[in-house]
């Protein structure tokens, strides 16, 4: 078996092995999500392209498909370049460059959550650390509105709760784990402190903990229906811990009070720091390339949200979000790259997308692949394994070429680069 | 108390206690036999793993003291890659590849349940 880097989720596991022989996929260490992903994309490594018109499918070679894609994009009045959720840093940079050439809007699944936290002061305050630091030092791990058992299976075993570290030699027995959510989750099974709060109660809980830690209002009465003793337990654990990390997820971002929640989490971390403790807040998002998109976007503009190149300069998409514009059917051509957009977009935006002329570049077998007017099937980056991706803690992980890479003659980066060069040449003419 | 300690460690069994074999203690003998059965032989204890429920998270691999001892990188969260551990994640799900190394079995016969305790999807069951 060969060493590979899994690109199924934002952990980008680089300690796993895989082998493909006689169409059979075997792996060691890959979680169910990773293995299923590898198994699926391994069978779609051969490049081909399909165009669809009036229900009739036509097979195309790569050159024909690229020409068709270039013409469609050049003639578009309001193009959108969307997706990028399983792409390398290099592909995303090329995609941003293509968006500039086309004066298009560039957006990704990061807009649905991660971008909001990375645009917030919680990120500017530099409250993050890297996962290795958590593994080596983390004493109190809190999953707040995040559920790794569902989305990033190896998060707890590889970095946060279970592994032994330099200052936590007994692993799980040296650490305390807390889980805060609006329902009982599977993650709670590993929690020493399990806090179920009403929907939208995050800020009230954070405020109560801050007030107790600062001595302003000691916890003596129930908060959010939780007994004071339960909350005192978590507050005392925060006081005792010399290294606390809060992994906050979609429950914090999508609760309707995003800015308030993030501000209070940042204040809670700052309160712990004022008490002389090491404390961090880290986003928990499962899409593997969301952090890559944010890092690449940051090189062009201060925004982490959708970028509008229609003026020729990168600016933050204003007035309406991409989803609102998709819902209003404002994009006539949408280039979807490396993402099954129908599976990730909110319902109304996905419905709006169906009225656009869709060009899809990505692995075969997805809903997008089956719907797009032009679908260019390329090898997934877990197969081609060329380039780098950015892990959820902003650490770059280099993909590792392996025997399966021989099955992937061209990847998304190659195709996007060729498409971009073709478009540039046509525009010059 | 000394007998109870030896019983808990699996050094003796219920039938080694003469009073328990006397008439009138049949119910007690049966109960103690049932309680100590997991300590006595591989035929009477075990770890059941439901692959349908397993997500391959690897909590069992990293939490298992035997795995950490025989393949130390698992202790710092790395995937088990050899064939010496009790648990290993094969093709996306946990597999028990060396059940006989489990501390519940001789010579340790400890009432260890860490894998079951930390399996978030309840895929592991110990009896």
């Amino acid at each position: 078996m060969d060493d590979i880097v899994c690109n199924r989720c934002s952990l980008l596991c680089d300690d796993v092995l895989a082998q493909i022989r006689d169409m059979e996929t075997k792996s060691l260490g890959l979680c169910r999500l990773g293995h299923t992903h590898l198994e699926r994309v391994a069978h779609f490594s051969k490049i081909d392209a399909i165009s669809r018109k009036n229900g009739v499918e036509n097979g195309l070679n790569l050159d024909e498909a690229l020409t068709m894609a270039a013409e469609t994009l050049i003639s578009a009045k309001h193009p959108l370049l969307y997706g990028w959720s399983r792409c390398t840093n290099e592909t995303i940079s090329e995609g941003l460059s293509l968006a500039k050439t086309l004066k298009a809007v560039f957006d990704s699944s990061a807009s649905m959550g991660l971008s909001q936290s990375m645009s917030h002061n919680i990120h500017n305050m530099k409250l993050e650390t890297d996962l290795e630091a958590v593994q080596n030092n983390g004493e109190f791990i809190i999953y707040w509105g995040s559920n790794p058992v569902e989305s990033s299976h190896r998060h707890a075993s590889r970095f946060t709760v279970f592994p032994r570290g330099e200052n936590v030699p007994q692993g799980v027995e040296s650490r305390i784990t807390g889980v805060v959510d609006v329902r009982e989750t599977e993650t709670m099974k590993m929690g020493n402190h399990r806090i179920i709060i009403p929907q939208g109660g995050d800020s009230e809980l954070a405020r109560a903990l801050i007030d107790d830690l600062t001595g302003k209002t000691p916890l003596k009465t129930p908060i959010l229906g939780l007994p004071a003793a339960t909350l005192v337990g978590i507050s005392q654990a925060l006081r005792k811990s010399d290294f606390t990390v809060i992994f906050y997820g979609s429950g914090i971002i999508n609760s309707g009070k995003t800015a308030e929640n993030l501000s209070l989490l940042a204040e809670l971390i700052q309160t712990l720091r004022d008490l002389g403790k090491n404390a961090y807040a880290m986003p928990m998002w499962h899409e593997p390339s969301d952090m890559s998109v944010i890092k690449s976007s940051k090189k062009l503009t201060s925004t982490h949200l959708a970028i509008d190149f229609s003026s020729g300069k990168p600016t933050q998409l204003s007035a309406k979000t991409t989803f609102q514009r998709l819902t209003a059917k404002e994009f006539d051509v949408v280039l979807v790259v490396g993402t099954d957009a129908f599976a990730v977009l909110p319902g109304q935006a996905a419905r709006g997308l169906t009225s656009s002329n869709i060009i899809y570049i990505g692995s075969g077998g997805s809903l997008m692949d089956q719907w797009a007017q032009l679908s260019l099937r390329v090898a997934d980056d877990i197969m081609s394994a060329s380039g780098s991706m950015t892990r959820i803690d902003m650490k770059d992980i280099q993909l590792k070429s392996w025997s399966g890479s021989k099955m992937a003659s061209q990847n998304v980066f190659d195709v996007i680069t060729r498409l971009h060069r073709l478009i540039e040449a046509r525009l010059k003419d | 108390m000394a007998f109870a300690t030896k019983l808990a460690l699996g050094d003796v069994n219920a039938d080694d206690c003469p009073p328990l074999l006397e008439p009138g203690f049949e119910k007690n003998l049966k109960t103690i036999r049932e309680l100590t059965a997991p300590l006595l032989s591989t035929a009477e204890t075990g770890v059941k793993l439901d692959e349908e429920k397993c997500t391959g998270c690897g909590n069992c691999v990293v939490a298992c003291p035997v795995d950490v001892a025989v393949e130390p990188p698992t202790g710092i969260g790395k995937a088990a890659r050899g064939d010496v551990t009790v648990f290993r994640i094969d093709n996306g799900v946990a597999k028990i590849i060396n059940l006989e190394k489990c501390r519940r079995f001789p010579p340790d016969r400890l009432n260890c349940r860490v894998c079951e305790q930390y399996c978030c999807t309840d895929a592991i069951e110990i009896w």
Side-chain angles (χ1 to χ4, degrees):
Chain A
M1 285 202 182
D2 299 328
D3 279 292
I4 68 162
V5 176
C6 177
N7 69 345
R8 175 57 183 79
C9 83
S10 57
L11 291 182
L12 302 175
C13 290
D14 56 358
D15 59 337
V16 291
L17 300 169
Q19 172 188 293
I20 298 170
R21 193 172 287 170
D22 301 328
M23 296 299 281
E24 190 186 0
T25 307
K26 289 183 178 176
S27 69
L28 279 184
L30 279 178
C31 70
R32 184 185 283 269
L33 287 173
H35 180 79
T36 310
H37 167 60
L38 177 63
E39 211 168 33
R40 187 179 71 78
V41 299
H43 299 296
F44 283 97
S45 293
K46 186 180 169 294
I47 299 171
D48 51 17
I50 286 178
S51 71
R52 296 183 179 87
K53 197 170 186 181
N54 302 324
V56 179
E57 289 189 354
N58 283 310
L60 303 171
N61 64 38
L62 187 61
D63 287 336
E64 291 169 335
L66 285 170
T67 303
M68 184 184 276
E71 285 169 359
T72 307
L73 284 164
I74 288 168
S75 63
K77 285 181 183 168
H78 302 289
L80 166 68
L81 275 53
Y82 186 81
W84 319 97
S85 62
R86 201 161 289 130
C87 295
T88 62
N89 294 331
E90 294 77 9
T91 305
I92 290 162
S93 293
E94 191 64 34
L96 281 161
S97 184
L98 175 60
K100 189 181 176 192
T101 303
L102 289 167
K103 296 189 175 178
V105 172
F106 180 97
D107 202 0
S108 74
S109 52
S111 291
M112 285 192 282
L114 190 57
S115 288
Q116 293 174 56
S117 68
M118 299 307 280
S119 306
H120 189 272
N121 211 25
I122 198 167
H123 174 60
N124 299 332
M125 288 168 73
K126 300 195 184 302
L127 301 182
E128 292 127 5
T129 183
D130 63 69
L131 290 168
E132 278 76 15
V134 179
Q135 182 207 320
N136 283 320
N137 303 292
E139 286 181 26
F140 191 12
I141 307 297
I142 302 177
Y143 288 108
W144 195 320
S146 58
N147 187 10
V149 173
E150 203 171 77
S151 55
S152 300
H153 292 335
R154 295 188 67 207
H155 198 269
S157 72
R158 205 172 154 226
F159 294 114
T160 60
V161 178
F162 294 97
R164 284 81 176 154
E166 285 168 15
N167 295 312
V168 276
Q170 301 300 314
V172 65
E173 286 165 29
S174 304
R175 306 182 202 260
I176 300 289
T177 307
V179 184
V180 181
D181 216 313
V182 294
R183 62 188 170 92
E184 186 169 355
T185 64
E186 289 172 321
T187 302
M188 284 187 180
K189 196 176 172 195
M190 60 178 124
N192 306 93
H193 298 273
R194 303 163 195 183
I195 311 284
I196 299 176
I197 57 172
Q199 185 89 33
D202 307 275
S203 52
E204 195 176 335
L205 175 60
R207 171 54 63 202
L209 290 171
I210 293 164
D211 288 349
D212 185 64
L213 288 165
T214 55
K216 188 179 169 190
T217 314
L219 284 162
K220 285 182 180 168
T221 53
I223 305 279
L224 297 164
L226 296 162
T230 303
L231 299 169
V232 167
I234 200 165
S235 179
Q236 284 180 343
L238 286 167
R239 277 180 205 278
K240 282 182 190 169
S241 166
D242 285 325
F243 199 109
T244 297
V245 189
I246 297 176
F247 290 95
Y248 60 91
S250 58
I252 289 288
I253 308 287
N254 297 333
S255 67
K257 295 198 281 187
T258 309
E260 186 185 350
N261 287 345
L262 290 172
S263 294
L264 279 159
L265 280 189
E267 191 179 334
L268 176 57
I269 295 299
Q270 197 56 56
T271 301
L272 291 168
R273 289 185 174 189
D274 292 344
L275 292 171
K277 309 290 186 181
N278 292 299
Y280 303 91
M282 295 182 70
M284 178 100 189
W285 222 256
H286 67 277
E287 289 291 350
S289 291
D290 280 3
M291 202 53 95
S292 298
V293 170
I294 285 164
K295 212 172 176 179
S296 302
S297 305
K298 205 178 175 184
K299 291 174 187 166
L300 298 176
T301 166
S302 59
T303 181
H304 299 296
L305 297 166
I307 302 177
D308 187 357
F309 289 92
S310 59
S311 67
K313 288 181 180 173
T315 54
Q316 183 178 327
L317 190 66
S318 54
K320 284 181 180 176
T321 65
T322 304
F323 302 146
Q324 287 168 330
R325 291 185 65 179
L326 274 170
T327 305
K329 303 174 182 176
E330 290 181 18
F331 297 109
D332 54 341
V333 177
V334 181
L335 173 66
V336 179
V337 182
T339 299
D340 197 356
F342 285 142
V344 298
L345 282 171
Q348 284 189 332
R351 268 194 293 279
L353 177 61
T354 60
S355 65
S356 306
N357 189 352
I358 302 171
I359 302 166
Y360 169 69
I361 300 175
S363 58
S366 63
L367 292 171
M368 209 76 250
D369 174 46
Q370 290 161 29
W371 176 274
Q373 279 73 43
L374 177 60
S375 178
L376 284 88
R377 293 170 181 167
V378 295
D380 189 275
D381 284 320
I382 196 173
M383 298 294 293
S384 56
S386 157
S388 63
M389 296 179 75
T390 305
R391 203 168 64 181
I392 190 65
D393 57 353
M394 299 206 90
K395 183 176 177 179
D396 282 348
I397 304 289
Q398 192 68 36
L399 301 182
K400 300 172 188 170
S401 180
W402 59 297
S403 59
S405 306
K406 292 172 195 158
M407 297 163 63
S409 51
Q410 282 203 95
N411 57 20
V412 188
F413 176 74
D414 297 327
V415 172
I416 287 287
T417 305
R418 283 184 62 181
L419 177 62
H420 191 189
R421 301 292 164 267
L422 190 58
I423 288 171
E424 282 179 326
R426 297 265 170 137
L427 287 175
K428 270 184 189 172
D429 294 342
Chain B
M1 185 59 82
F3 184 83
T5 304
K6 286 182 178 178
L7 194 65
L9 290 172
D11 294 340
V12 295
N13 63 52
D15 295 279
D16 293 327
C17 176
L20 276 177
L21 302 175
E22 289 174 10
F25 289 95
E26 292 85 359
K27 203 173 170 184
N28 302 51
L29 179 62
K30 185 171 180 274
T31 304
I32 292 175
R33 276 178 179 159
E34 284 171 1
L35 285 171
T36 55
L39 304 172
L40 296 178
S41 73
T42 56
E44 288 171 286
T45 185
V47 185
K48 190 172 131 189
L49 204 155
D50 185 341
E51 291 183 11
E52 288 297 311
K53 288 183 181 175
C54 179
T55 61
C57 67
N59 290 359
C60 52
V61 177
V62 184
C64 175
V66 176
D67 288 359
V68 175
V70 297
E71 193 175 329
T74 61
I76 55 166
K78 301 285 186 191
R81 295 156 66 115
D83 55 5
V84 292
T85 49
V86 175
F87 294 97
R88 191 176 67 187
I89 309 299
D90 282 14
N91 300 333
V93 291
K95 295 271 165 56
I96 299 170
I97 57 171
N98 290 296
L99 182 60
E100 73 286 355
K101 288 187 180 177
C102 173
R103 298 198 304 173
R104 296 179 63 79
F105 293 95
D108 295 328
R109 289 175 177 160
L110 296 173
N111 190 19
C112 176
R113 310 182 81 102
V114 286
C115 54
E116 182 188 49
Q117 183 185 349
Y118 291 118
C119 178
C120 292
T121 57
D122 293 330
I124 296 175
E125 189 186 335
I126 284 172
W127 76 91

